[in-house]
Amino acid sequence: MPDDIYLNNPERLFEALEKELSNPDNMVVVQIAPAVRVALGEEFGYFPGEDLTGRTVGLLQQLGFDHVIDTPLGADVNIYEEAYEILHALEREDDDYFPVFNSCCIGWRLYCSRTHEDVCKHISPIASPHMISGSIAKHYLENKFHKPKEEIISVSIMPCTLKKYETMERLPDGAKYVDYVLTTQELADFAKRKGLDLKAAPEGNFSELLPGSSKDGVVFGVTGGLAEALLTTLAHILDVEKEDEHYFRSNDSIKKRKVRLGKYTLDVVSVHGFANLEKVLKEIELGEKYHFVEVMNCPYGCVGGPGQPLPPTEEKLRARAAGLRRAADTKGAFATVPQENPTVQKIYQELLDFPGSETARRLLYFQKVKLK
Ligand code: SF4
Protein backbone atom coordinates (compact mmCIF):
# COMPACT_ATOMS: atom_id res chain seq x y z
CA MET A 1 0.00 0.00 0.00
CA PRO A 2 1.42 3.42 -0.86
CA ASP A 3 2.75 5.26 2.16
CA ASP A 4 2.21 8.88 1.25
CA ILE A 5 -0.91 10.77 2.14
CA TYR A 6 -2.09 12.18 -1.21
CA LEU A 7 -2.39 15.58 0.39
CA ASN A 8 -2.91 17.55 -2.77
CA ASN A 9 -3.34 14.90 -5.39
CA PRO A 10 -6.91 13.72 -5.85
CA GLU A 11 -6.03 12.04 -9.15
CA ARG A 12 -3.62 9.65 -7.41
CA LEU A 13 -6.00 9.24 -4.50
CA PHE A 14 -8.93 8.30 -6.76
CA GLU A 15 -6.76 5.94 -8.79
CA ALA A 16 -5.50 4.17 -5.64
CA LEU A 17 -9.01 3.92 -4.27
CA GLU A 18 -10.37 2.48 -7.54
CA LYS A 19 -7.69 -0.18 -7.35
CA GLU A 20 -8.60 -1.10 -3.78
CA LEU A 21 -12.33 -1.22 -4.62
CA SER A 22 -11.81 -3.44 -7.64
CA ASN A 23 -9.58 -5.96 -5.84
CA PRO A 24 -11.86 -8.95 -5.12
CA ASP A 25 -9.74 -9.98 -2.11
CA ASN A 26 -10.33 -6.68 -0.36
CA MET A 27 -13.01 -5.77 2.12
CA VAL A 28 -13.23 -1.98 1.90
CA VAL A 29 -14.77 -0.28 4.92
CA VAL A 30 -15.68 3.39 4.71
CA GLN A 31 -16.78 5.69 7.51
CA ILE A 32 -18.39 9.13 7.48
CA ALA A 33 -17.60 11.89 9.94
CA PRO A 34 -20.52 13.70 11.62
CA ALA A 35 -19.91 17.01 9.83
CA VAL A 36 -20.00 15.40 6.37
CA ARG A 37 -23.69 14.48 6.56
CA VAL A 38 -24.81 18.10 6.88
CA ALA A 39 -22.54 19.55 4.17
CA LEU A 40 -22.06 17.04 1.33
CA GLY A 41 -25.51 17.96 0.01
CA GLU A 42 -24.29 21.48 -0.83
CA GLU A 43 -22.29 19.96 -3.71
CA PHE A 44 -25.52 18.48 -5.09
CA GLY A 45 -27.97 21.36 -4.68
CA TYR A 46 -29.23 20.74 -1.14
CA PHE A 47 -29.40 23.46 1.51
CA PRO A 48 -26.57 23.56 4.07
CA GLY A 49 -27.44 21.73 7.27
CA GLU A 50 -29.76 19.15 5.75
CA ASP A 51 -29.05 15.78 7.39
CA LEU A 52 -28.31 13.43 4.49
CA THR A 53 -26.89 10.48 6.42
CA GLY A 54 -29.04 7.86 4.67
CA ARG A 55 -28.36 9.13 1.15
CA THR A 56 -24.62 9.48 1.87
CA VAL A 57 -24.53 5.85 2.99
CA GLY A 58 -26.48 4.89 -0.15
CA LEU A 59 -24.05 6.82 -2.36
CA LEU A 60 -21.05 5.07 -0.79
CA GLN A 61 -22.73 1.71 -1.36
CA GLN A 62 -23.28 2.66 -5.01
CA LEU A 63 -19.57 3.48 -5.22
CA GLY A 64 -18.79 -0.12 -4.24
CA PHE A 65 -17.72 0.09 -0.59
CA ASP A 66 -18.36 -3.19 1.23
CA HIS A 67 -19.26 -1.78 4.64
CA VAL A 68 -20.30 1.74 5.58
CA ILE A 69 -19.84 2.61 9.23
CA ASP A 70 -20.20 5.80 11.24
CA THR A 71 -17.27 7.81 12.65
CA PRO A 72 -19.52 8.72 15.63
CA LEU A 73 -19.19 5.09 16.69
CA GLY A 74 -15.47 5.82 17.21
CA ALA A 75 -16.45 9.07 18.94
CA ASP A 76 -18.63 7.05 21.33
CA VAL A 77 -15.69 4.80 22.19
CA ASN A 78 -13.33 7.79 22.40
CA ILE A 79 -15.54 9.58 24.92
CA TYR A 80 -16.20 6.42 26.94
CA GLU A 81 -12.45 5.86 27.33
CA GLU A 82 -11.85 9.58 28.01
CA ALA A 83 -14.52 9.66 30.72
CA TYR A 84 -12.88 6.75 32.56
CA GLU A 85 -9.38 8.25 32.24
CA ILE A 86 -10.66 11.51 33.77
CA LEU A 87 -12.61 9.72 36.46
CA HIS A 88 -9.57 7.71 37.53
CA ALA A 89 -7.47 10.90 37.72
CA LEU A 90 -10.17 12.56 39.84
CA GLU A 91 -10.35 9.52 42.14
CA ARG A 92 -6.60 9.50 42.75
CA GLU A 93 -6.67 13.32 43.16
CA ASP A 94 -4.03 13.66 40.46
CA ASP A 95 -4.04 17.43 39.88
CA ASP A 96 -1.03 17.19 37.53
CA TYR A 97 -3.17 15.21 35.08
CA PHE A 98 -5.25 18.31 34.38
CA PRO A 99 -6.09 20.15 32.22
CA VAL A 100 -6.86 17.49 29.61
CA PHE A 101 -7.06 18.75 26.01
CA ASN A 102 -8.95 16.81 23.36
CA SER A 103 -7.02 14.86 20.76
CA CYS A 104 -9.70 14.68 18.09
CA CYS A 105 -8.73 17.93 16.31
CA ILE A 106 -5.65 17.26 14.17
CA GLY A 107 -5.30 21.00 13.45
CA TRP A 108 -4.91 21.56 17.20
CA ARG A 109 -2.47 18.65 17.61
CA LEU A 110 -0.25 19.92 14.78
CA TYR A 111 -0.41 23.50 16.06
CA CYS A 112 0.39 22.41 19.60
CA SER A 113 3.40 20.31 18.55
CA ARG A 114 4.81 23.28 16.63
CA THR A 115 4.04 26.15 19.00
CA HIS A 116 3.29 24.89 22.53
CA GLU A 117 5.34 21.72 22.97
CA ASP A 118 5.06 21.91 26.77
CA VAL A 119 1.26 21.68 26.52
CA CYS A 120 1.30 18.59 24.26
CA LYS A 121 1.72 16.18 27.20
CA HIS A 122 -1.76 17.26 28.31
CA ILE A 123 -3.39 16.21 25.04
CA SER A 124 -5.50 13.11 25.57
CA PRO A 125 -3.66 9.87 24.69
CA ILE A 126 -6.81 8.46 23.10
CA ALA A 127 -6.81 8.37 19.31
CA SER A 128 -9.26 10.44 17.30
CA PRO A 129 -12.72 9.05 16.47
CA HIS A 130 -12.00 8.05 12.85
CA MET A 131 -8.76 6.35 13.89
CA ILE A 132 -10.73 4.40 16.51
CA SER A 133 -13.48 3.46 14.03
CA GLY A 134 -10.81 2.37 11.55
CA SER A 135 -8.94 0.27 14.12
CA ILE A 136 -12.14 -1.33 15.43
CA ALA A 137 -13.31 -2.16 11.91
CA LYS A 138 -9.99 -3.81 11.02
CA HIS A 139 -9.70 -5.87 14.20
CA TYR A 140 -13.38 -6.72 14.57
CA LEU A 141 -13.74 -7.84 10.95
CA GLU A 142 -10.42 -9.69 11.06
CA ASN A 143 -11.72 -11.77 13.99
CA LYS A 144 -15.19 -12.18 12.49
CA PHE A 145 -14.14 -13.30 9.00
CA HIS A 146 -10.62 -14.64 9.69
CA LYS A 147 -9.48 -12.25 7.01
CA PRO A 148 -5.90 -10.92 6.88
CA LYS A 149 -5.85 -7.36 8.10
CA GLU A 150 -3.95 -6.27 4.98
CA GLU A 151 -7.10 -7.08 2.99
CA ILE A 152 -9.31 -4.91 5.18
CA ILE A 153 -8.99 -1.39 3.83
CA SER A 154 -10.13 1.51 5.98
CA VAL A 155 -11.30 4.72 4.30
CA SER A 156 -12.55 7.88 6.03
CA ILE A 157 -14.73 10.62 4.57
CA MET A 158 -13.74 13.69 6.56
CA PRO A 159 -14.53 17.43 6.64
CA CYS A 160 -10.82 17.99 7.15
CA THR A 161 -7.84 18.00 4.77
CA LEU A 162 -5.49 17.73 7.75
CA LYS A 163 -7.00 14.38 8.74
CA LYS A 164 -4.85 12.92 5.94
CA TYR A 165 -1.91 13.27 8.36
CA GLU A 166 -3.51 10.62 10.54
CA THR A 167 -3.11 8.03 7.78
CA MET A 168 0.59 8.08 8.73
CA GLU A 169 -0.06 6.80 12.24
CA ARG A 170 0.25 3.08 12.87
CA LEU A 171 -0.95 0.54 15.39
CA PRO A 172 1.56 -1.61 17.32
CA ASP A 173 1.00 -4.47 14.84
CA GLY A 174 2.09 -2.16 11.98
CA ALA A 175 -1.39 -1.69 10.51
CA LYS A 176 -2.70 1.80 9.85
CA TYR A 177 -5.78 2.92 11.72
CA VAL A 178 -6.97 4.48 8.46
CA ASP A 179 -5.54 3.87 4.98
CA TYR A 180 -7.17 6.69 2.98
CA VAL A 181 -8.91 9.95 3.76
CA LEU A 182 -11.21 11.71 1.29
CA THR A 183 -12.59 15.11 2.16
CA THR A 184 -16.27 15.95 1.72
CA GLN A 185 -15.36 17.82 -1.47
CA GLU A 186 -13.33 14.89 -2.79
CA LEU A 187 -16.18 12.45 -2.19
CA ALA A 188 -18.51 14.71 -4.20
CA ASP A 189 -15.92 14.88 -6.99
CA PHE A 190 -15.30 11.11 -6.94
CA ALA A 191 -19.05 10.41 -7.16
CA LYS A 192 -19.64 12.98 -9.94
CA ARG A 193 -16.82 11.53 -12.05
CA LYS A 194 -18.68 8.23 -11.89
CA GLY A 195 -21.92 9.90 -12.93
CA LEU A 196 -23.53 9.51 -9.51
CA ASP A 197 -25.80 12.11 -7.94
CA LEU A 198 -26.57 12.25 -4.21
CA LYS A 199 -30.15 13.27 -5.08
CA ALA A 200 -30.65 9.99 -6.92
CA ALA A 201 -28.89 7.84 -4.30
CA PRO A 202 -31.05 5.40 -2.33
CA GLU A 203 -31.36 5.74 1.45
CA GLY A 204 -28.80 3.31 2.85
CA ASN A 205 -28.19 1.84 6.29
CA PHE A 206 -24.92 1.47 8.17
CA SER A 207 -23.36 -2.01 8.10
CA GLU A 208 -25.24 -4.50 10.27
CA LEU A 209 -21.90 -5.61 11.67
CA LEU A 210 -21.06 -2.28 13.28
CA PRO A 211 -24.16 -0.07 13.15
CA GLY A 212 -25.07 3.08 14.91
CA SER A 213 -23.80 5.57 17.41
CA SER A 214 -25.25 7.62 20.22
CA LYS A 215 -26.31 11.28 20.28
CA ASP A 216 -23.00 12.07 21.95
CA GLY A 217 -21.01 10.61 19.05
CA VAL A 218 -22.83 12.72 16.45
CA VAL A 219 -22.71 16.05 18.28
CA PHE A 220 -18.87 15.79 18.31
CA GLY A 221 -18.72 17.48 14.91
CA VAL A 222 -19.77 20.93 16.13
CA THR A 223 -18.27 23.29 18.70
CA GLY A 224 -19.24 22.34 22.25
CA GLY A 225 -20.27 18.83 21.18
CA LEU A 226 -17.32 17.09 22.73
CA ALA A 227 -17.71 18.94 26.05
CA GLU A 228 -21.42 18.04 26.07
CA ALA A 229 -20.64 14.39 25.28
CA LEU A 230 -18.00 14.12 27.99
CA LEU A 231 -20.22 15.63 30.67
CA THR A 232 -23.26 13.56 29.70
CA THR A 233 -21.18 10.38 29.71
CA LEU A 234 -19.54 11.19 33.06
CA ALA A 235 -22.95 11.98 34.61
CA HIS A 236 -24.24 8.64 33.36
CA ILE A 237 -21.26 6.69 34.74
CA LEU A 238 -21.52 8.48 38.11
CA ASP A 239 -25.32 8.09 38.04
CA VAL A 240 -25.93 11.76 38.85
CA GLU A 241 -28.08 14.46 37.30
CA LYS A 242 -26.26 16.99 35.12
CA GLU A 243 -27.68 20.51 35.13
CA ASP A 244 -28.13 22.47 31.94
CA GLU A 245 -27.13 19.77 29.49
CA HIS A 246 -27.25 22.09 26.47
CA TYR A 247 -25.06 24.88 27.80
CA PHE A 248 -22.27 24.04 25.35
CA ARG A 249 -24.63 24.21 22.36
CA SER A 250 -24.10 27.90 21.71
CA ASN A 251 -21.80 28.96 18.88
CA ASP A 252 -19.87 31.37 21.13
CA SER A 253 -16.16 31.15 20.45
CA ILE A 254 -15.29 30.55 24.11
CA LYS A 255 -17.74 28.76 26.42
CA LYS A 256 -16.82 28.15 30.06
CA ARG A 257 -18.74 26.27 32.68
CA LYS A 258 -18.28 24.93 36.19
CA VAL A 259 -20.26 21.69 36.23
CA ARG A 260 -21.20 19.81 39.35
CA LEU A 261 -21.24 16.03 38.97
CA GLY A 262 -22.00 14.42 42.31
CA LYS A 263 -18.99 14.96 44.57
CA TYR A 264 -16.90 16.45 41.75
CA THR A 265 -16.95 19.94 40.26
CA LEU A 266 -15.37 20.18 36.82
CA ASP A 267 -14.17 23.34 35.12
CA VAL A 268 -14.69 22.91 31.40
CA VAL A 269 -13.97 25.27 28.53
CA SER A 270 -14.80 24.89 24.84
CA VAL A 271 -13.04 27.08 22.29
CA HIS A 272 -12.98 27.32 18.49
CA GLY A 273 -10.51 29.27 16.36
CA PHE A 274 -6.81 29.70 17.17
CA ALA A 275 -6.99 33.37 18.15
CA ASN A 276 -9.48 32.40 20.85
CA LEU A 277 -7.40 29.38 21.82
CA GLU A 278 -4.41 31.62 22.50
CA LYS A 279 -6.54 33.57 25.00
CA VAL A 280 -7.38 30.34 26.86
CA LEU A 281 -3.75 29.15 26.79
CA LYS A 282 -2.67 32.50 28.20
CA GLU A 283 -5.20 32.14 31.04
CA ILE A 284 -3.83 28.69 31.84
CA GLU A 285 -0.29 30.03 31.81
CA LEU A 286 -1.40 32.67 34.31
CA GLY A 287 -2.79 30.02 36.67
CA GLU A 288 -6.40 29.42 35.58
CA LYS A 289 -7.37 25.82 36.39
CA TYR A 290 -9.43 23.74 33.98
CA HIS A 291 -10.17 20.05 34.00
CA PHE A 292 -11.05 19.75 30.32
CA VAL A 293 -10.34 22.00 27.36
CA GLU A 294 -12.14 21.30 24.08
CA VAL A 295 -10.23 22.85 21.18
CA MET A 296 -11.50 23.02 17.62
CA ASN A 297 -9.25 24.66 15.08
CA CYS A 298 -12.03 25.59 12.66
CA PRO A 299 -14.89 28.06 13.08
CA TYR A 300 -17.90 26.28 14.62
CA GLY A 301 -15.82 23.05 14.84
CA CYS A 302 -15.52 20.39 12.14
CA VAL A 303 -18.67 21.62 10.35
CA GLY A 304 -16.38 24.50 9.27
CA GLY A 305 -13.47 22.23 8.28
CA PRO A 306 -11.20 22.93 5.30
CA GLY A 307 -12.42 19.87 3.37
CA GLN A 308 -16.06 21.00 3.39
CA PRO A 309 -17.81 22.58 0.37
CA LEU A 310 -16.77 26.16 -0.38
CA PRO A 311 -17.21 28.99 0.36
CA PRO A 312 -17.55 28.66 4.14
CA THR A 313 -19.90 31.60 4.75
CA GLU A 314 -21.13 32.42 8.25
CA GLU A 315 -24.68 31.57 7.18
CA LYS A 316 -23.63 28.12 5.94
CA LEU A 317 -21.64 27.34 9.08
CA ARG A 318 -24.59 28.27 11.29
CA ALA A 319 -26.92 26.10 9.22
CA ARG A 320 -24.53 23.12 9.37
CA ALA A 321 -24.05 23.55 13.13
CA ALA A 322 -27.82 23.67 13.73
CA GLY A 323 -28.37 20.74 11.34
CA LEU A 324 -25.81 18.56 13.11
CA ARG A 325 -27.28 19.30 16.54
CA ARG A 326 -30.71 18.33 15.15
CA ALA A 327 -29.24 15.15 13.65
CA ALA A 328 -27.66 14.29 17.03
CA ASP A 329 -30.99 14.65 18.79
CA THR A 330 -32.61 12.32 16.28
CA LYS A 331 -29.88 9.79 17.05
CA GLY A 332 -30.67 10.30 20.72
CA ALA A 333 -33.70 8.09 20.21
CA PHE A 334 -31.31 5.24 19.48
CA ALA A 335 -28.96 5.89 22.42
CA THR A 336 -28.06 9.06 24.26
CA VAL A 337 -24.70 8.08 25.71
CA PRO A 338 -22.01 5.69 24.45
CA GLN A 339 -22.51 3.11 27.19
CA GLU A 340 -26.16 2.69 26.14
CA ASN A 341 -25.20 2.07 22.53
CA PRO A 342 -25.60 -1.68 21.83
CA THR A 343 -22.80 -1.56 19.24
CA VAL A 344 -20.39 -0.10 21.82
CA GLN A 345 -21.43 -2.80 24.28
CA LYS A 346 -20.82 -5.47 21.63
CA ILE A 347 -17.38 -4.04 20.80
CA TYR A 348 -16.31 -4.14 24.45
CA GLN A 349 -17.71 -7.65 24.94
CA GLU A 350 -16.15 -9.12 21.81
CA LEU A 351 -12.96 -7.08 21.36
CA LEU A 352 -11.91 -4.57 23.99
CA ASP A 353 -12.96 -6.00 27.39
CA PHE A 354 -13.32 -2.74 29.34
CA PRO A 355 -12.27 0.94 29.09
CA GLY A 356 -8.52 1.26 29.62
CA SER A 357 -7.88 -2.48 29.17
CA GLU A 358 -4.60 -3.64 27.64
CA THR A 359 -6.44 -4.30 24.36
CA ALA A 360 -8.11 -0.89 24.42
CA ARG A 361 -4.71 0.78 24.94
CA ARG A 362 -3.23 -1.20 22.08
CA LEU A 363 -6.03 -0.60 19.58
CA LEU A 364 -7.43 2.82 20.52
CA TYR A 365 -4.60 4.92 21.92
CA PHE A 366 -1.94 6.88 20.04
CA GLN A 367 1.36 5.19 19.50
CA LYS A 368 4.33 7.51 19.54
CA VAL A 369 4.48 9.23 16.17
CA LYS A 370 5.89 12.69 15.58
CA LEU A 371 3.60 14.54 13.22
CA LYS A 372 6.02 17.33 12.44
S1 SF4 B 1 -11.84 21.38 13.80
FE1 SF4 B 1 -11.01 21.66 11.73
S2 SF4 B 1 -8.83 21.03 11.85
FE2 SF4 B 1 -9.88 20.25 13.68
S3 SF4 B 1 -10.41 18.13 13.08
FE3 SF4 B 1 -12.21 19.47 12.70
S4 SF4 B 1 -12.02 20.03 10.57
FE4 SF4 B 1 -10.00 19.26 11.21
Side-chain angles (χ1 to χ4, degrees):
M1 200 171 303
D3 208 27
D4 73 59
I5 53 177
Y6 306 116
L7 259 181
N8 291 311
N9 198 330
E11 298 304 329
R12 284 187 57 211
L13 174 63
F14 295 166
E15 199 183 304
L17 200 55
E18 288 282 14
K19 223 164 149 184
E20 302 286 15
L21 286 166
S22 60
N23 182 342
D25 292 332
N26 282 349
M27 183 180 276
V28 188
V29 184
V30 65
Q31 57 175 300
I32 51 170
V36 172
R37 69 205 64 201
V38 290
L40 177 67
E42 293 163 34
E43 296 281 353
F44 295 91
Y46 286 94
F47 289 111
E50 220 169 309
D51 175 13
L52 295 162
T53 309
R55 280 196 196 280
T56 306
V57 173
L59 184 75
L60 291 164
Q61 286 164 338
Q62 285 183 318
L63 285 166
F65 290 95
D66 297 300
H67 295 284
V68 186
I69 64 171
D70 208 3
T71 307
L73 177 61
D76 270 0
V77 174
N78 171 294
I79 212 66
Y80 197 30
E81 293 282 331
E82 190 77 73
Y84 272 101
E85 289 280 315
I86 287 177
L87 212 49
H88 291 148
L90 289 170
E91 278 164 2
R92 59 176 192 267
E93 298 180 3
D94 183 356
D95 290 344
D96 292 345
Y97 186 80
F98 299 106
V100 181
F101 290 77
N102 61 304
S103 62
C104 61
C105 175
I106 178 68
W108 153 235
R109 283 176 62 214
L110 289 167
Y111 179 72
C112 190
S113 66
R114 285 161 168 77
T115 58
H116 295 279
E117 216 167 344
D118 51 320
V119 179
C120 289
K121 62 177 184 292
H122 285 285
I123 295 182
S124 166
I126 302 157
S128 68
H130 84 123
M131 293 168 72
I132 291 181
S133 282
S135 175
I136 287 172
K138 285 193 180 190
H139 293 89
Y140 184 81
L141 297 175
E142 178 189 32
N143 292 352
K144 191 104 195 150
F145 296 105
H146 306 290
K147 197 163 176 61
K149 237 189 333 288
E150 304 73 56
E151 293 177 1
I152 303 173
I153 311 298
S154 155
V155 180
S156 297
I157 312 297
M158 294 281 120
C160 183
T161 321
L162 296 174
K163 282 280 169 193
K164 293 178 188 237
Y165 275 93
E166 291 180 336
T167 61
M168 293 192 290
E169 307 211 35
R170 287 176 186 266
L171 289 148
D173 61 9
K176 292 182 173 188
Y177 299 76
V178 170
D179 298 298
Y180 300 93
V181 167
L182 271 79
T183 64
T184 312
Q185 290 173 39
E186 285 168 346
L187 171 61
D189 192 10
F190 189 55
K192 284 176 188 172
R193 287 178 191 213
K194 290 178 157 292
L196 294 173
D197 183 348
L198 188 65
K199 282 201 161 153
E203 290 278 334
N205 292 315
F206 289 115
S207 167
E208 279 178 8
L209 293 168
L210 291 168
S213 69
S214 75
K215 176 273 290 176
D216 277 350
V218 178
V219 83
F220 245 68
V222 59
T223 173
L226 174 49
E228 176 182 322
L230 177 69
L231 293 168
T232 317
T233 302
L234 278 168
H236 197 271
I237 293 172
L238 292 165
D239 197 19
V240 294
E241 284 293 312
K242 182 170 74 64
E243 354 123 11
D244 200 3
E245 183 167 323
H246 287 173
Y247 174 77
F248 285 97
R249 287 208 174 187
S250 95
N251 292 327
D252 293 352
S253 46
I254 301 180
K255 301 178 270 289
K256 295 178 186 178
R257 191 72 166 178
K258 218 178 245 314
V259 182
R260 188 148 183 80
L261 291 171
K263 61 179 177 176
Y264 302 115
T265 301
L266 296 193
D267 283 288
V268 179
V269 56
S270 159
V271 54
H272 61 94
F274 280 152
N276 304 311
L277 168 66
E278 284 299 339
K279 290 182 200 160
V280 173
L281 290 174
K282 191 78 201 159
E283 284 177 1
I284 293 171
E285 204 183 301
L286 294 174
E288 188 74 44
K289 300 278 183 216
Y290 291 111
H291 290 93
F292 188 74
V293 185
E294 177 204 286
V295 184
M296 295 292 167
N297 173 22
C298 300
Y300 294 76
C302 295
V303 290
Q308 297 278 65
L310 298 170
T313 62
E314 192 76 16
E315 199 186 349
K316 271 191 191 177
L317 299 188
R318 281 186 184 280
R320 289 178 197 161
L324 192 57
R325 291 180 180 125
R326 269 196 308 276
D329 289 336
T330 316
K331 282 272 181 187
F334 175 66
T336 308
V337 287
Q339 54 270 48
E340 280 180 353
N341 177 355
T343 312
V344 171
Q345 289 168 2
K346 178 171 86 165
I347 291 167
Y348 276 93
Q349 275 160 16
E350 297 183 25
L351 186 69
L352 300 172
D353 295 336
F354 54 86
S357 70
E358 185 276 327
T359 314
R361 287 181 189 279
R362 191 161 39 82
L363 303 187
L364 311 178
Y365 285 51
F366 287 117
Q367 312 307 317
K368 296 286 170 222
V369 172
K370 272 240 180 236
L371 284 176
K372 283 188 181 186

